[in-house]
Amino acid sequence: MARWESKADQQFWKGLAAQQSGRITEALAAHRRAVGTLRGRLRRHPGAVAVHEKLAAVLYSLGSSLVASGEPDEAAKVLEDSEHHYVMSAAPDVDLLVADVQARRAGAHGLAAHPVSALTDIDRALTAYARRGVHAEGPPRSLDLARVLSQAAVVHRVHGDTDQALACAGQALARYNEGFAAVNTDPSAHLGYMIGMAADTASALEAAKGNWPSALAVDDMVLHVVEQGWGDLAKALARKGVHLRAAGRAAQAQPFLARAAEMSTTAVEREQRTLTQPHPRSLDEVLRTAGAATGVVGVAVLRRVLTRAESYSASARVSDQANAPAHARSLSVLAAAVDPETDAEAAWRLSLESHLLYHALLRNRPASSRDWLSTQADTWATALRVMVRVSRLIGGEAMQNDVRAAVARFTEETAFAVDDPREVSPGPGS
């Protein structure tokens, strides 16, 4: 092994060990040193595919440490670079490696309050896994998909469709339960996703719907795992106690609440706040009311087409791809008909779903997309105009910047001029 390679590997593994032990500052320093070593090698040998692959892997871990250190914006940039170097490498299964980067970047964008980028990335990641048919495989590959689904559940819960969040969480937990023996060979690699992402999402959303048997079943699974020494026992006890109490089973709840209170003075209060926390309306819920509010016809049919089947991201909403552009157009028209001053959440959900579907269609179409775009660009631009307006009404600077980036990508990808670009793009002073 060459000296530079040995040095980079030592720095990488040192950083990974520090990361897994929670020593994030140490992990950041080690991974940055490894990045420097590998970038130096690439400057001398820019075509070295093995170096590209090593650098991509180090940047992937560095992005994770940046998220843990509370720097999601920087993490997203680092993970963009990781994707670039994986593409430049000759790594086996490079499409799935890139998908893993996109899923992790989706989480970073989610924490940075970049909803459009987060949902776009998670859709790209899940599409890559679907194309490879991983959904039909067992462990260990199914556990890779479970990890991506767990990340998708968190992104959807905060920024996307809560029905899709619950679907992703449920699918992730099913795969973890099927492959639990494999998970136990290296619990640290999986249980954070299983408990902290998929189970958290499933339990919270089932409880919000009042589906107590389902919520409590997830709570029992988490408690069983945590009692083996993985995760936060006080949190798991408090959650089950709070859910039992809310389900009208106060006597059964009391031992769990008392034990949680002995371990933590804040655990029960935190879980109670989580229970009462409002969740965004799903696309199904928005479509149920938007037709009556706007007078737009055909909304009931649109709702059945887009929400009747379980789906996990924008690309999977429509099984009949030939009609997908029409559905994206209908969402855009409906979004424009909603008064954002009256119902900003509905205007945002509809316009965002239209944009995500349009973007997925463009990304997944062959090179002959130019004619198709000529018939769709104006309606796609309409959805973006609504997104711009709503982001000004309810979004902070991060959200507005994310919408600006989406507009810029639309302009670049379509190469079409809209009637008045100022109506689409939020100006620098907005």
Side-chain angles (χ1 to χ4, degrees):
M1 180 181 291
R3 182 180 177 185
W4 67 267
E5 188 174 10
S6 175
K7 181 179 178 183
D9 284 350
Q10 288 174 6
Q11 292 160 339
F12 171 70
W13 289 111
K14 180 180 179 181
L16 199 60
Q19 184 186 81
Q20 292 172 347
S21 300
R23 305 191 309 276
I24 301 302
T25 301
E26 183 181 336
L28 287 169
H31 283 148
R32 281 174 171 147
R33 286 194 295 270
V35 167
T37 298
L38 292 166
R39 288 199 193 283
R41 183 67 179 176
L42 276 179
R43 281 193 293 271
R44 293 187 293 275
H45 303 278
V49 293
V51 183
H52 281 290
E53 183 179 355
K54 281 181 178 289
L55 179 54
V58 176
L59 289 166
Y60 180 79
S61 291
L62 176 58
S64 180
S65 293
L66 285 165
V67 168
S69 68
E71 302 176 73
D73 284 287
E74 184 62 25
K77 295 174 185 176
V78 165
L79 291 166
E80 189 81 31
D81 203 16
S82 175
E83 178 177 346
H84 166 74
H85 287 288
Y86 269 130
V87 171
M88 295 293 291
S89 78
D93 292 331
V94 68
D95 55 335
L96 296 185
L97 291 170
V98 167
D100 286 347
V101 174
Q102 291 164 343
R104 183 161 289 185
R105 191 171 64 224
H109 278 306
L111 291 171
H114 301 155
V116 187
S117 296
L119 292 165
T120 300
D121 270 342
I122 209 62
D123 184 52
R124 292 171 67 194
L126 287 171
T127 298
Y129 271 85
R131 283 176 174 164
R132 288 289 297 270
V134 179
H135 62 282
E137 296 188 29
R141 184 60 65 83
S142 64
L143 300 177
D144 293 332
L145 176 57
R147 183 183 66 251
V148 174
L149 285 164
S150 298
Q151 292 171 314
V154 173
V155 169
H156 281 305
R157 177 183 174 185
V158 178
H159 295 296
D161 185 331
T162 49
D163 287 343
Q164 289 186 330
L166 191 54
C168 288
Q171 287 291 328
L173 291 175
R175 283 165 172 77
Y176 279 128
N177 285 330
E178 289 169 1
F180 207 72
V183 172
N184 280 341
T185 63
D186 185 8
S188 64
H190 298 280
L191 290 180
Y193 295 99
M194 179 182 178
I195 297 172
M197 293 185 177
D200 268 8
T201 299
S203 178
L205 293 180
E206 294 287 16
K209 292 174 179 285
N211 295 337
W212 298 116
S214 297
L216 288 165
V218 176
D219 297 343
D220 285 339
M221 184 223 31
V222 171
L223 192 55
H224 172 76
V225 172
V226 171
E227 284 179 331
Q228 310 307 309
W230 297 96
D232 187 336
L233 182 56
K235 177 180 178 179
L237 290 164
R239 176 180 294 164
K240 183 170 182 182
V242 165
H243 286 173
L244 283 168
R245 185 169 61 190
R249 297 158 62 179
Q252 290 174 267
Q254 191 52 42
F256 294 96
L257 295 172
R259 189 177 169 200
E262 289 177 1
M263 300 177 69
S264 167
T265 58
T266 60
V268 174
E269 181 184 352
R270 285 199 307 270
E271 291 305 313
Q272 186 62 42
R273 283 200 305 269
T274 298
L275 178 64
T276 56
Q277 171 187 331
H279 295 283
R281 280 182 287 165
S282 67
L283 180 61
D284 179 66
E285 292 169 320
V286 168
L287 288 171
R288 283 177 183 275
T289 58
T294 62
V296 175
V297 299
V299 176
V301 174
L302 183 66
R303 181 177 66 82
R304 285 197 298 274
V305 169
L306 296 180
T307 67
R308 66 185 168 189
E310 184 174 272
S311 64
Y312 313 107
S313 65
S315 292
R317 277 210 186 276
V318 184
S319 57
D320 181 3
Q321 291 297 296
N323 290 322
H327 301 319
R329 182 182 183 88
S330 295
L331 286 168
S332 177
V333 170
L334 186 57
V338 172
D339 180 3
E341 300 281 353
T342 302
D343 195 346
E345 184 182 13
W348 174 255
R349 177 92 279 122
L350 293 165
S351 59
L352 176 59
E353 293 289 347
S354 175
H355 166 73
L356 292 170
L357 186 51
Y358 270 131
H359 194 273
L361 286 166
L362 175 61
R363 193 172 65 245
N364 297 329
R365 287 179 73 86
S368 59
S369 299
R370 189 60 57 189
D371 290 341
W372 172 81
L373 277 171
S374 69
T375 66
Q376 303 294 328
D378 286 345
T379 312
W380 189 353
T382 296
L384 285 164
R385 289 189 185 99
V386 176
M387 290 167 62
V388 167
R389 185 177 179 191
V390 176
S391 71
R392 289 169 170 168
L393 288 172
I394 66 173
E397 182 179 0
M399 179 182 179
Q400 292 184 40
N401 286 340
D402 192 43
V403 174
R404 287 189 184 97
V407 171
R409 285 192 295 271
F410 163 81
T411 303
E412 179 181 355
E413 290 169 349
T414 63
F416 284 106
V418 295
D419 293 338
D420 183 356
R422 291 172 297 179
E423 292 181 8
V424 179
S425 179
S430 64

